[in-house]
């Protein structure tokens, strides 16, 4: 799916061109940002997307939806009723539909969606942060913050936890760079000015059989944006 979402179109339509694609969880203005993430992360590539879907065993069903062993490739995305989030969700939905992926959209008020994310009720969702320190990596991705904190992807990886811990205790870039590589986004956008556009990131689920991820939106004060 990383290759199936056209972030440039999202920037142009949702943010009216006032941004640029982001490929990781940190913006260039936050210490620890790794410029190499731009080349490391997937970019929109329809041919590559189709190739990977096929290699994973998915083929179009009678209605055009990709299927595997009789099960459609489908999921539901949670977002708030905010205009930016809804419009972004609709464009992502259209992008994925073109490849045979069925994505439904469900909206909830902010307080409700927070509780659902903490419980892990979502398969995918939009959420954001207002933060200017690299410690956001700990808040969003450390397994200690699953359930009671803001690790809404419910991603648990001892290796990542160790890297985050090292990055929090040493003022060196290597650990932050390696953490960013692990937590790279599927697709994202940052908006110029005081408001940040949707930052879509999907982290793999470390438990259970459901696809789970967190597609986040954020607020920021730096230049640069799905």
């Amino acid at each position: 799916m990383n290759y199936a979402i056209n972030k440039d179109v999202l920037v142009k339509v949702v943010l009216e061109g006032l941004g640029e694609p982001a490929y990781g969880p940190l913006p260039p203005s936050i210490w620890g940002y790794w410029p190499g993430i731009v080349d490391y992360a997937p970019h929109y590539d329809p041919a590559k997307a189709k190739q990977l879907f096929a290699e994973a065993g998915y083929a179009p069903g009678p209605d055009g939806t990709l299927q595997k062993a009789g099960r459609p490739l489908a999921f539901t995305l949670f977002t708030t009723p905010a205009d930016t989030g809804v419009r972004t969700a609709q464009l992502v939905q259209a992008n994925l539909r073109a490849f045979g992926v069925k994505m439904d959209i469900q909206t909830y008020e902010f307080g409700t969606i927070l509780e659902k994310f903490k419980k892990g009720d979502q398969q995918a969702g939009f959420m954001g942060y207002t933060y200017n320190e690299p410690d956001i990596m700990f808040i969003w991705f450390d397994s200690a913050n699953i359930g009671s904190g803001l690790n809404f992807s419910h991603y648990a990886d001892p290796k990542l936890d160790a890297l985050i811990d090292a990055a929090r205790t040493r003022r060196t870039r290597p650990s932050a760079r390696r953490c960013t590589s692990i937590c790279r986004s599927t697709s994202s956008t940052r908006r110029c000015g005081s408001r940040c556009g949707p930052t879509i990131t999907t982290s793999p689920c470390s438990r259970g059989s459901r696809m789970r991820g967190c597609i986040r939106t954020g607020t920021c004060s730096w230049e640069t944006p799905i």
Side-chain angles (χ1 to χ4, degrees):
M1 293 187 197
N2 296 353
Y3 296 101
I5 299 173
N6 191 330
K7 297 183 293 293
D8 291 329
V9 171
L10 293 173
V11 170
K12 182 178 180 180
V13 175
V14 179
L15 301 183
E16 299 179 351
L18 301 177
E20 65 181 36
Y23 296 98
L26 297 180
S29 62
I30 291 184
W31 189 90
Y33 170 77
W34 175 43
I37 192 66
V38 175
D39 295 323
Y40 184 80
H43 290 244
Y44 180 60
D45 187 335
K48 184 71 171 179
K50 293 178 181 179
Q51 173 192 334
L52 292 177
F53 282 134
E55 290 179 358
Y58 286 97
D63 62 351
T65 302
L66 292 178
Q67 295 185 0
K68 182 178 181 179
R71 298 181 62 183
L73 182 53
F75 67 99
T76 299
L77 179 141
F78 291 178
T79 186
T80 64
D83 180 67
T84 301
V86 172
R87 292 175 66 199
T88 301
Q90 290 171 341
L91 284 173
V92 171
Q93 182 185 54
N95 272 194
L96 295 178
R97 185 189 300 122
F99 291 86
V101 180
K102 185 177 185 296
M103 186 188 94
D104 293 322
I105 301 170
Q106 178 67 58
T107 60
Y108 295 100
E109 294 300 326
F110 189 71
T112 300
I113 206 170
L114 279 179
E115 291 305 311
K116 286 186 173 293
F117 282 176
K118 287 182 179 181
K119 294 177 182 178
D121 291 342
Q122 79 284 9
Q123 293 176 298
F126 285 173
M127 184 49 64
Y129 68 81
T130 304
Y131 212 75
N132 59 5
E133 296 291 337
D135 205 40
I136 191 65
M137 299 291 288
F138 169 76
I139 296 172
W140 279 106
F141 297 110
D142 196 283
S143 63
N145 290 315
I146 294 175
S148 60
L150 301 181
N151 183 344
F152 296 141
S153 65
H154 291 246
Y155 183 68
D157 183 347
K159 179 180 178 181
L160 177 58
D161 289 348
L163 289 171
I164 291 174
D165 183 62
R168 300 182 81 205
T169 56
R170 296 187 302 168
R171 296 186 63 83
T172 54
R173 290 181 181 275
S175 293
R177 179 177 69 245
R178 293 172 66 194
C179 289
T180 300
S181 298
I182 293 177
C183 299
R184 67 185 184 279
S185 58
T186 57
S187 58
S188 55
T189 309
R190 302 184 298 276
R191 184 172 185 174
C192 302
S194 61
R195 294 294 298 175
C196 189
T199 298
I200 298 185
T201 59
T202 302
S203 301
C205 181
S206 60
R207 56 186 174 81
S209 59
R210 291 190 304 157
M211 182 192 76
R212 180 176 293 152
C214 188
I215 297 184
R216 310 191 301 282
T217 63
T219 302
C220 51
S221 59
W222 26 273
E223 85 293 342
T224 69
I226 318 190

